[in-house]
Amino acid sequence: MDFTVIAHAVEVDHGVKRLSMRFIKKYAAPERQRLSAELCAEISQEFEKLGLLTLPRRLPTSENEYVFVLAKESPLGQTVALASSLAALDQLGENRMPWLFDNHPDAKKLLT
């Protein structure tokens, strides 16, 4: 998997890029017919190595879906990482601000 093109595109666009899963698959595994959950997990790991993260955090397996690829060290990337940690705490029942996801139910789906 060679995501240097994607990493450069994110850098050029100030830390955020909206991409289709079809485009990401083209660089991850062009020979594959479909995206699987396992391949999406591998893609996420490769993005992590390049200092990137995605929103939604769990990549969809549909090639017709779009995701945001963020530079982890950008202000937006840091905010998403922090919110993802809060969503993980919420799943464990340890969220100190339970009302937060009551007010923003769609955010919880994207962050977990």
Side-chain angles (χ1 to χ4, degrees):
M1 289 183 214
D2 183 20
F3 294 121
T4 54
V5 171
I6 293 174
H8 290 301
V10 170
E11 184 180 333
V12 167
D13 284 354
H14 308 288
V16 62
K17 189 77 175 170
R18 183 175 182 255
L19 300 171
S20 71
M21 287 304 295
R22 179 172 284 116
F23 182 82
I24 292 171
K25 182 179 140 309
K26 180 172 114 176
Y27 288 97
E31 71 285 351
R32 301 239 343 221
Q33 292 294 327
R34 294 185 200 184
L35 286 166
S36 65
E38 294 81 20
L39 178 59
C40 288
E42 287 178 40
I43 292 169
S44 292
Q45 289 174 351
E46 290 297 318
F47 279 161
E48 282 282 325
K49 291 177 186 174
L50 292 171
L52 303 172
L53 55 89
T54 61
L55 189 64
R57 296 294 291 141
R58 184 171 296 145
L59 291 173
T61 57
S62 169
E63 291 185 31
N64 297 324
E65 297 286 327
Y66 283 82
V67 298
F68 289 96
V69 180
L70 311 166
K72 196 186 293 189
E73 295 305 317
S74 71
L76 183 58
Q78 291 177 20
T79 302
V80 169
L82 181 63
S84 294
S85 297
L86 188 60
L89 285 172
D90 191 69
Q91 282 186 322
L92 296 172
E94 297 294 323
N95 183 359
R96 301 291 183 223
M97 298 181 285
W99 50 266
L100 186 65
F101 290 116
D102 292 341
N103 294 337
H104 306 285
D106 292 335
K108 187 174 181 179
K109 289 186 280 188
L110 293 172
L111 294 168
T112 55

